[in-house]
Amino acid sequence: MENLFQWGGGMWGGIGLAVLQIVTFVVILLVLIAFLLLFDRKVWAAVQLRKGPNVVGPFGLLQSFADLIKFVLKEVIIPAGANKTVFLLAPVITLTLALVGWAVIPVAPGWVISNLNVGVLYLFAVSSLGVYGIIMGGWASNSKYPFLGGLRSAAQMVSYEVSIGFVIVTVLLLVGSLNLSDVVENQAGGIWNWHAFAFPTIFVMFPMFVIFFISALAETNRPPFDLPEAESELVAGYQVEYSSSPYLMFMIGEYVSIVLMCSMLTILFFGGWHMPLPIPGVDGLPEWLLSLGGLLVFIVKTTFFFFLFAMVKAIVPRYRYDQLMRLGWKIFLPTSLVAVVIVSAYVTFQNASGRQEFDRLDADSSGYLEAPELAAVILPSGVDTDNDGKVSLAEYRDRARS
Amino acid sequence: MALIAFYILSTIVVLSALFVVAARNPVHSVLWLILAFFTSAGLLVLIGAEFLAMLLVVVYVGAVAVLFLFVVMMLDIDFAELKQGFQNYLVVGVLVALALLAEIGIVAAAATFGGGTTFNANPGAATNAEALSRVLYTDYLLLFQMSGIVLLVAMIGAIVLTLRARPTVKRQNIAQQTGRKRKDAVELKDVRPGQGI
Amino acid sequence: MDFLADINNAIPEAALAGFGLVGLLLGAIGGDRTAGLIRLLAAVALVAASVLTAYQFQHPGAADGIAAFASATSPDGLYRVTMFTLFAKTVTYALAALALLMSGGFLKTSQMERYEYPLLIVFGSLGAGLMLSANDLMTLYVGIETLSLSSYVLAAFRRDSLKSAEAGLKYFVLGALASGLLLYGSSLIYGFTGGTAYAVIAAAPISVGLTFGLVFVVCGLSFKASAAPFHIWTPDVYEGAPAPVVAFFSTAPKIAAVALLAHVMFVTFGPHEEAWRQIISIISAASMLIGAFGALMQNSIKRILAYSSISNVGFALIGVAAGVGNGAASVLVYMTLYVIATLGMFGGVLALRRGGRAIDNVSDLNGLVKQKPGMALGLLVLIFSVAGIPPAAGFWGKLQVFQAGLQADMTWLVLVGALSSVVSLGYYLRLVWAMFMKPSAGELDKTDISIGIIVLVTSLLMFPILTVTIQMLLETAARASGG
């Protein structure tokens, strides 16, 4: 999809195409999230032996859209003492940052708006900015509960970002690239190659997946870590003074980032768009069909994690604030730090001979790295000691010395 | 294209830097500062240093500025008093600013007309991250490790200066709390109507 | 790169860093009960580092000018040991160890006995060693920052005391500014020479940008050495910080900072001598005068010692201004003699307590000779040495720098030095007068034996009986500057 940019004819064509892609992506994403929201409520209702929304449309399918219209049509109330600009900027920032993160998510083979080389870092950066919307909203409301909620939320998000960062580092060490498409490609071939299950790293990576999942709950302020908006303590936290469309933006932003976290779980640990089992004969199918299939697999996996998020919300009671901080700093942080050490040691010793890396680079398994393969790797000049235009395994091993 | 983007971004950087100083409300100052950081990251992307750009966002915008914002929001700042101080130091401040500006001007002029040095812009690696890590973990290992020591010292310092063992504060034993069983806490009583326990 | 060879050169620093980490773990597990043990171990580690450095110094083939952590991008390495810096490092580590040993009694009586204290001193010394061994502006900065951060925390270590907290904060704010100046200068130098390695900078032709960078770097380094006009923090920090911390500040980091300034001038900017000679001599003259006149009006002993240190840094800088050929040895001799004498004097400040409280006012010294004649005599020798009155050893140090100045045709600077020497006699003799002539000011507490020993040893070292020592020191320093 990147090369689509060249088709558009010059600069403006490229920009137009990019805008078109983004708009299409966002619209589809938001519509999907409307249904996920309903799904969330249905799951929650089912656990509590209720029916959930079932009035608007068949099975209540149009409930989210009815809510949308309700929110949009209501009056926006801005508290008298509020800092108006910041007050209105906060929900916009929350929603924008949540959406912006999707730019680097590869939803299917080649289907990504921007195939950044530092995609993982980008996601990490964007998610670390999410705290601003909340802290600004809490401050600008000029009211005690929102302010306390904002501070709590900021402390919570900053704390859990640390362990999320280390968990991501373990995955990156296994992949050897910051590009999310590479992360997914590294898990091709079947469920036994997915990072959460691959042997022998499963003993480290599966716990890392669990830590990531729990941290994702805390990072997105989902129950049982929804202390910033704990109604028994803070009414509704930073959202107390918000109504109508600004509130709607906060809520959509929250759900968009939850789904983003689910998709990150899918990409980092559960093989992205890859099927659990390799299906023979699919290679012959046209590329667009394969991509569409990949997209479906991706959506199913992401929805599964969203289901887990919903179940956690329905089942687990809320944490106390000091317990939350203790869990983040005293348990997750050391555990993930140790995991980084173990994984990097594993990667180093596994790669000591350079064999694995060489085989990965040697796409046609010829035993040599020739012209097309050499383009994909940076080698010091003079690595080709016998000057035959290709690099053998022995030469590759000696690359550090030459 | 890149040139247009450069001018747009650098205009935003300069303007927001100006507003950092000019804003009356300190929280607004920090918000402008964040915008300046963020846009600088954009400039870094333009010159192809995407790894540095992301680090700038993660470290400065995502962590440092959040702390700034925290502190500024929780402090009760008297704006009138602040402005008074500003008046007093205005002359000195302007002089220092002019001196620095002149220095930058001289240096820039010397760099433009006096040649200057060219740098190796192409480190010879596929991505920024790879290029950086190749030197960071080999040639500059000493600095990398010593930076770790610097941070460790900073951490020790923060703990030394703030951590106090207060004997009067009640503490919770989390292990005890989570290890509590149902039978330790709940007792079933068969209460007869009208009699109480 | 050959990692083992690199580490081999940096063994003293590696040992210190290793001990710092192990000690931290020990302290974190054992809590403050282990503080005394860790203090002893830290002193042992510092002595070991000093001995290892001295070993490298004695076996020049093993270390002289050998670069470590070399690579394709920096062939001269990030780390380099030369005879000059080895000498400075040996003294630095040894004095840090002594300052640490001396602090035990004070820490116990003022409830500051915490395990972080010795560790911060170890890390600070590590930073001092690293900045001296730097062969690249980046290493220099990392070393300085390690030392500075430890120093800020140490200055505020007695956090319940308002003065200590104030000292820490002042030191931190001004120190951060100085680090900023240093970095700004370094970036200018990098921009105009295309490198941060000392060799690259030395080889680059002088240009406007390089000169500007040089000025900023000199400013930053002068702050660390507390030379005027960057001395303003010194009296406040000396007064506010706990006494053992000041004893550390005025010895190990002091000689390290001055030696670093000299080393950077001699090596990094060696070929650009014309560009920095004027700056250094002005800083030197200003420091001597401010130190001499500033102390006249002070009543606090710690503040007097602070101004004395400013003035003495100025004297040492005469040697730097004289250039590498004339002055290198004299800088080392002067600073070594000065910091040893200062250590003894701070020993006195630490040891003399009245009713459980440390003395600070000059009048507290009144009639010391009647109560503790040994201590008074020892302090007399030390004060004479710092003041540069013959026959104490400090006089020979002063003679050395003056000679270096004269050789370099800097007669005016030497005259300023002589003038400020005379002025500073005013307050040095005031201390002596208080100790020997005034009536007693009241009963003093019993002296800590370890401090008594240190005062005795340092005063003996400063006494001309041991002219041999000075001769040895001169020869060693000459060898150091030759390397």
Side-chain angles (χ1 to χ4, degrees):
Chain A
M1 205 171 223
E2 300 155 278
N3 53 7
L4 286 182
F5 285 115
Q6 276 102 56
W7 296 358
M11 179 178 103
W12 298 111
I15 292 179
L17 202 71
V19 170
L20 194 72
Q21 281 181 342
I22 293 167
V23 170
T24 319
F25 194 100
V26 168
V27 168
I28 295 177
L29 179 70
L30 288 181
V31 170
L32 283 178
I33 280 175
F35 288 109
L36 281 176
L37 230 162
L38 179 72
F39 176 63
D40 191 30
R41 293 169 73 174
K42 283 280 191 191
V43 170
W44 203 7
V47 172
Q48 296 171 349
L49 303 179
R50 293 187 286 116
K51 281 193 170 166
N54 62 351
V55 177
V56 191
F59 313 107
L61 275 178
L62 298 178
Q63 178 68 40
S64 298
F65 299 96
D67 285 344
L68 171 79
I69 293 169
K70 184 186 75 177
F71 276 126
V72 170
L73 294 184
K74 274 189 171 179
E75 183 194 353
V76 182
I77 297 170
I78 299 173
N83 193 319
K84 197 172 169 186
T85 326
V86 181
F87 184 81
L88 291 178
L89 203 59
V92 177
I93 285 184
T94 304
L95 181 58
T96 316
L97 286 174
L99 286 174
V100 155
W102 283 90
V104 293
I105 297 285
V107 290
W111 285 21
V112 50
I113 293 178
S114 171
N115 196 13
L116 268 190
N117 274 327
V118 287
V120 180
L121 260 185
Y122 173 86
L123 266 186
F124 192 59
V126 168
S127 73
S128 71
L129 296 185
V131 62
Y132 279 113
I134 291 174
I135 201 173
M136 281 163 72
W139 176 78
S141 301
N142 193 22
S143 164
K144 295 281 182 293
Y145 285 129
F147 188 55
L148 288 174
L151 290 184
R152 263 195 184 185
S153 156
Q156 175 177 337
M157 290 169 89
V158 170
S159 307
Y160 276 85
E161 234 151 56
V162 184
S163 53
I164 284 198
F166 279 121
V167 173
I168 291 180
V169 167
T170 59
V171 175
L172 297 184
L173 283 171
L174 289 175
V175 179
S177 163
L178 289 164
N179 189 316
L180 284 167
S181 302
D182 291 352
V183 175
V184 176
E185 276 311 325
N186 196 44
Q187 307 174 66
I191 192 166
W192 49 87
N193 281 341
W194 294 1
H195 286 145
F197 304 118
F199 186 83
T201 45
I202 179 170
F203 301 110
V204 178
M205 292 315 285
F206 195 79
M208 284 304 104
F209 153 67
V210 175
I211 287 185
F212 191 95
F213 180 78
I214 298 175
S215 302
L217 290 174
E219 176 83 8
T220 50
N221 295 327
R222 277 288 280 197
F225 304 115
D226 59 341
L227 292 148
E229 40 192 290
E231 56 270 52
S232 53
E233 303 161 23
L234 291 173
V235 191
Y238 58 91
Q239 298 172 340
V240 169
E241 305 289 350
Y242 280 91
S243 56
S244 163
S245 328
Y247 174 78
L248 177 73
M249 283 194 227
F250 262 132
M251 203 179 69
I252 297 184
E254 203 174 293
Y255 272 87
V256 171
S257 44
I258 289 167
V259 182
L260 183 68
M261 280 293 170
C262 295
S263 67
M264 273 174 81
L265 279 163
T266 310
I267 289 171
L268 294 176
F269 294 100
F270 282 76
W273 61 72
H274 290 299
M275 291 288 280
L277 298 169
I279 300 166
V282 288
D283 290 342
L285 294 173
E287 201 180 323
W288 63 271
L289 203 62
L290 281 178
S291 290
L292 211 60
L295 178 66
L296 272 180
V297 174
F298 183 84
I299 290 178
V300 168
K301 286 178 181 175
T302 306
T303 314
F304 170 71
F305 284 115
F306 189 83
F307 172 69
L308 288 188
F309 268 62
M311 288 301 281
V312 171
K313 178 180 180 178
I315 291 169
V316 185
R318 185 178 289 139
Y319 254 55
R320 210 172 59 205
Y321 195 71
D322 61 320
Q323 291 173 335
L324 168 96
M325 282 298 172
R326 176 179 167 274
L327 185 70
W329 287 108
K330 289 191 174 173
I331 297 177
F332 283 179
L333 179 61
T335 313
S336 50
L337 205 55
V338 169
V340 169
V341 174
I342 294 175
V343 171
S344 49
Y346 167 76
V347 171
T348 308
F349 290 116
Q350 182 74 6
N351 245 344
S353 62
R355 176 93 220 181
Q356 211 180 36
E357 212 175 299
F358 184 81
D359 286 346
R360 186 166 60 85
L361 293 168
D362 186 19
D364 58 358
S365 305
S366 62
Y368 290 100
L369 299 181
E370 303 94 344
E373 294 156 4
L374 281 174
V377 57
I378 303 302
L379 292 171
S381 56
V383 66
D384 184 19
T385 39
D386 53 1
N387 287 317
D388 58 356
K390 42 190 190 178
V391 177
S392 67
L393 179 59
E395 286 170 347
Y396 185 76
R397 278 178 186 160
D398 286 345
R399 70 194 184 283
R401 249 166 279 162
S402 56
Chain B
M1 178 74 186
L3 204 64
I4 300 171
F6 169 77
Y7 281 118
I8 294 174
L9 288 178
S10 45
T11 314
I12 297 176
V13 173
V14 173
L15 284 183
S16 48
L18 197 66
F19 283 123
V20 173
V21 190
R24 281 155 180 267
N25 190 331
V27 173
H28 290 180
S29 282
V30 178
L31 292 177
W32 284 115
L33 184 69
I34 291 162
L35 183 63
F37 280 151
F38 195 76
T39 328
S40 314
L43 284 175
L44 283 178
V45 171
L46 276 188
I47 60 168
E50 68 257 16
F51 185 76
L52 277 183
M54 292 307 144
L55 278 196
L56 185 73
V57 174
V58 172
V59 176
Y60 277 90
V61 186
V64 175
V66 170
L67 291 183
F68 278 10
L69 206 57
F70 246 70
V71 173
V72 169
M73 278 179 179
M74 294 209 276
L75 287 179
D76 192 18
I77 295 170
D78 188 349
F79 302 122
E81 203 178 314
L82 264 184
K83 275 186 72 185
Q84 233 173 14
F86 186 69
Q87 296 284 342
N88 289 343
Y89 296 111
L90 187 64
V91 181
V92 183
V94 167
L95 282 180
V96 171
L98 281 180
L100 278 177
L101 193 69
E103 270 164 24
I104 293 173
I106 292 169
V107 168
T112 317
F113 304 116
T117 317
T118 49
F119 294 91
N120 182 11
N122 181 12
T127 62
N128 275 228
E130 198 180 336
L132 276 175
S133 51
R134 263 175 205 277
V135 290
L136 196 60
Y137 297 110
T138 55
D139 298 351
Y140 295 105
L141 182 72
L142 173 75
L143 298 178
F144 186 71
Q145 294 286 343
M146 276 310 293
S147 310
I149 297 269
V150 170
L151 293 177
L152 179 69
V153 170
M155 202 158 77
I156 296 175
I159 292 172
V160 165
L161 296 182
T162 53
L163 181 70
R164 283 154 204 269
R166 288 200 189 88
T168 50
V169 173
K170 283 187 180 173
R171 298 205 173 272
Q172 286 166 340
N173 186 347
I174 305 273
Q176 208 178 28
Q177 286 178 354
T178 48
R180 200 169 74 145
K181 293 283 183 296
R182 185 172 186 271
K183 63 176 167 45
D184 304 332
V186 185
E187 192 184 347
L188 281 182
K189 289 260 185 182
D190 200 6
V191 182
R192 291 183 172 279
Q195 289 191 347
I197 298 172
Chain C
M1 64 173 189
D2 192 344
F3 188 73
L4 284 179
D6 287 350
I7 285 296
N8 197 20
N9 278 322
I11 270 187
E13 281 73 38
L16 279 184
F19 170 78
L21 299 179
V22 173
L24 188 61
L25 214 57
L26 199 66
I29 294 169
D32 285 334
R33 279 168 295 148
T34 53
L37 174 69
I38 293 180
R39 199 178 64 242
L40 276 181
L41 289 178
V44 170
L46 282 166
V47 170
S50 178
V51 170
L52 285 169
T53 322
Y55 177 82
Q56 287 182 330
F57 188 74
Q58 289 303 321
H59 297 78
D64 187 16
I66 293 175
F69 299 99
S71 64
T73 45
S74 54
D76 292 321
L78 299 169
Y79 178 104
R80 190 185 185 91
V81 281
T82 63
M83 299 307 270
F84 186 84
T85 53
L86 277 177
F87 183 90
K89 269 162 65 181
T90 312
V91 181
T92 305
Y93 293 149
L95 283 169
L98 288 178
L100 194 56
L101 279 177
M102 222 164 65
S103 60
F106 188 96
L107 291 178
K108 273 190 205 115
T109 44
S110 51
Q111 270 112 44
M112 279 165 49
E113 180 84 276
R114 303 178 62 186
Y115 71 89
E116 289 98 341
Y117 180 84
L119 294 176
L120 284 170
I121 288 197
V122 166
F123 281 126
S125 312
L126 167 66
L130 192 76
M131 74 189 190
L132 279 172
S133 319
N135 195 29
D136 190 296
L137 288 180
M138 292 189 281
T139 322
L140 170 82
Y141 177 71
V142 174
I144 284 192
E145 214 51 13
T146 317
L147 172 60
S148 306
L149 279 176
S150 318
S151 307
Y152 306 148
V153 180
L154 282 172
F157 202 81
R158 196 180 199 171
R159 57 187 183 191
D160 296 321
S161 140
L162 209 57
K163 279 206 161 172
S164 178
E166 182 197 335
L169 190 67
K170 269 188 183 158
Y171 197 9
F172 172 67
V173 171
L174 292 175
L177 183 69
S179 293
L181 288 180
L182 184 68
L183 275 184
Y184 186 49
S186 306
S187 64
L188 282 179
I189 291 171
Y190 176 55
F192 278 87
T193 60
T196 50
Y198 284 3
V200 176
I201 299 168
I206 191 83
S207 59
V208 182
L210 183 57
T211 314
F212 270 97
L214 166 68
V215 172
F216 280 112
V217 169
V218 169
C219 293
L221 294 180
S222 311
F223 175 89
K224 303 293 174 196
S226 77
F230 308 99
H231 65 284
I232 305 166
W233 57 275
T234 323
D236 290 342
V237 171
Y238 273 45
E239 191 189 5
V245 172
V246 186
F248 171 69
F249 281 175
S250 58
T251 52
K254 184 70 72 185
I255 185 172
V258 173
L260 174 72
L261 184 55
H263 184 64
V264 170
M265 290 305 122
F266 293 158
V267 174
T268 318
F269 300 109
H272 316 309
E273 195 174 293
E274 289 316 307
W276 54 258
R277 172 167 279 172
Q278 284 302 316
I279 307 171
I280 295 287
S281 40
I282 289 168
I283 290 177
S284 161
S287 308
M288 289 186 292
L289 290 174
I290 287 177
F293 283 100
L296 286 177
M297 305 307 290
Q298 303 297 336
N299 278 323
S300 154
I301 300 175
K302 275 153 100 185
R303 283 186 90 88
I304 289 180
L305 289 179
Y307 278 105
S308 153
S309 88
I310 297 170
S311 156
N312 278 290
V313 166
F315 284 115
L317 289 184
I318 297 181
V320 181
V324 63
N326 304 318
S330 68
V331 175
L332 287 182
V333 173
Y334 188 84
M335 281 317 286
T336 310
L337 290 173
Y338 166 68
V339 288
I340 292 176
T342 312
L343 186 77
M345 278 164 71
F346 271 102
V349 174
L350 280 172
L352 300 177
R353 308 171 71 84
R354 180 167 285 138
R357 294 190 38 161
I359 60 160
D360 191 40
N361 210 297
V362 178
S363 60
D364 290 337
L365 284 175
N366 285 356
L368 184 68
V369 70
K370 294 188 187 89
Q371 288 188 33
K372 295 182 190 295
M375 177 69 80
L377 275 177
L379 285 180
L380 176 75
V381 174
L382 294 171
I383 289 173
F384 272 23
S385 179
V386 172
I389 300 171
F395 171 71
W396 305 106
K398 223 165 232 180
L399 203 62
Q400 285 281 313
V401 271
F402 283 171
Q403 273 174 357
L406 288 175
Q407 271 169 26
D409 287 336
M410 311 195 89
T411 321
W412 69 274
L413 197 57
V414 175
L415 284 178
V416 172
L419 172 71
S420 48
S421 282
V422 174
V423 173
S424 59
L425 276 184
Y427 58 85
Y428 288 129
L429 289 181
R430 202 174 138 216
L431 294 176
V432 177
W433 185 263
M435 287 194 297
F436 285 87
M437 298 298 171
K438 292 265 178 85
S440 174
E443 197 64 26
L444 286 161
D445 297 356
K446 204 171 165 296
T447 312
D448 206 334
I449 184 74
S450 63
I451 298 182
I453 293 174
I454 284 180
V455 174
L456 179 73
V457 170
T458 48
S459 57
L460 278 183
L461 278 176
M462 290 305 117
F463 207 65
I465 309 170
L466 302 172
T467 332
V468 194
T469 336
I470 296 171
Q471 202 54 44
M472 263 170 59
L473 183 64
L474 284 177
E475 275 168 16
T476 330
R479 204 154 64 83
S481 57

